Amino acid sequence: MSHEQSSGAPTSYESRIEVPQGQKDWSVDAPDYRPPEFTHQFVETVGVEQGWADPQSPNEVDFSERFSHETEDGKISFSSDGKPLNPSGRTGLEGRGLLGKWGPNQAADPIVFNRDANGNVALLLIQRKDTDTGEWALPGGMTDPTDKNAAQAALRELAEEAGVSIKEEQLKEVYAGIVDDPRNTDNAWMETRALCAVITGERPEPTAGDDAQRAKWVSVFKLTSDGLYASHGDLVGMALAQIGEQAAAEALTKAA
Ligand code: RP5
């Protein structure tokens, strides 16, 4: 998984400053690093009202129940003024941007393949409503407090965004960790658990819903890593290798 500084942020995002070479890591002193601070108004108004966003100050948040997949003990590190620090390092932007939670924002991503009788493999993708770049994405989303586990969150998102239902037993874990989402900042970042399934026989007809404007099956040999949202190209590559589709995994990596 590449942990590069996010690019292609939503159009309403404050611009990031360039992080000087060699200063990405928090352990490196960067006395001149002064990124803009940005938390979208939507997060601080609607997000707080609807309960998916934290209060304005991280000091009001109880972090004892939050964990990061990226650290050995799951613990989050903080700046001297109490802001969680992105384990991937400096991003050129402080605050929460469009993310609701200070620190890790946990998501689940279903990677659903169909293998037909001739052995052709296709992947179920959606087109998100929040990007104007035309990128396609996995039908994943943030975990809800009502989800018992990441698999349930993945199944719920799959049904909401692509109108496809599968069974929890069909899912196998591919990855758990931070993802290079364009919304990531120094103090708020996306982490995901990606789970994959292979369904055989006839493909269920997808129906776009919720955050998706379109949903479709795409042959795995037509995928390019940079045509997919955030780190989804990396996640799909790992899943293809896991299900034994090595040639498609290599083609995806080469096309990046
Ligand atoms: C990505 O953002 C994750 O991999 C996941 O697919 C998605 C979650 O955000 P929303 O779809 O809920 O906006 O980084």
Side-chain angles (χ1 to χ4, degrees), residues 6-248:
S6 298
S7 57
T11 38
S12 52
Y13 248 57
E14 173 92 24
S15 345
R16 297 165 191 275
I17 57 163
E18 187 91 15
V19 179
Q21 190 81 21
Q23 293 193 357
K24 195 163 164 58
D25 202 296
W26 294 109
S27 63
V28 176
D29 234 15
D32 298 328
Y33 177 68
R34 284 187 200 87
E37 171 142 20
F38 170 62
T39 299
H40 202 287
Q41 226 192 346
F42 185 70
V43 171
E44 287 177 339
T45 53
V46 179
V48 172
E49 260 162 53
Q50 293 183 344
W52 52 265
D54 285 338
Q56 208 165 1
S57 165
N59 301 318
E60 291 172 56
V61 177
D62 175 8
F63 285 99
S64 61
E65 298 282 297
R66 295 201 188 161
F67 68 96
S68 170
H69 288 297
E70 285 299 297
T71 53
E72 248 169 60
D73 53 5
K75 291 208 178 111
I76 301 162
S77 299
F78 295 87
S79 64
S80 53
D81 58 351
K83 288 183 184 146
L85 291 177
N86 185 328
S88 291
R90 298 182 174 96
T91 65
L93 189 64
E94 275 188 6
R96 276 176 291 162
L98 266 169
L99 295 175
K101 307 264 190 296
W102 287 103
N105 286 254
Q106 300 292 349
D109 282 302
I111 308 178
V112 180
F113 296 108
N114 171 261
R115 192 181 274 123
D116 72 12
N118 299 320
N120 300 315
V121 180
L123 171 67
L124 184 56
L125 291 173
I126 57 141
Q127 200 163 30
R128 294 169 63 98
K129 280 186 186 156
D130 65 349
T131 55
D132 47 14
T133 53
E135 287 166 325
W136 287 78
L138 296 169
M142 305 289 186
T143 55
D144 276 355
T146 51
D147 297 321
K148 270 202 317 220
N149 53 35
Q152 292 237 321
L155 295 178
R156 178 182 51 71
E157 288 288 337
L158 179 65
E160 285 172 9
E161 297 199 346
V164 169
S165 296
I166 60 169
K167 296 206 174 74
E168 187 169 339
E169 307 83 82
Q170 293 175 276
L171 291 171
K172 293 207 168 50
E173 180 153 318
V174 171
Y175 174 79
I178 198 162
V179 279
D180 188 27
D181 189 284
R183 294 167 290 185
N184 290 355
T185 71
D186 286 1
N187 314 117
W189 60 92
M190 289 295 316
E191 297 195 1
T192 198
R193 238 177 227 282
L195 301 127
C196 95
V198 183
I199 53 177
T200 49
E202 211 176 312
R203 291 174 191 168
E205 195 53 50
T207 320
D210 199 31
D211 297 335
Q213 49 180 324
R214 294 203 276 165
K216 67 175 180 183
W217 291 97
V218 181
S219 159
V220 292
F221 283 102
K222 291 210 170 123
L223 300 171
T224 58
S225 219
D226 58 6
L228 294 174
Y229 178 75
S231 294
H232 291 181
D234 291 340
L235 299 176
V236 173
M238 284 186 252
L240 283 168
Q242 190 165 309
I243 65 163
E245 295 291 333
Q246 207 60 46

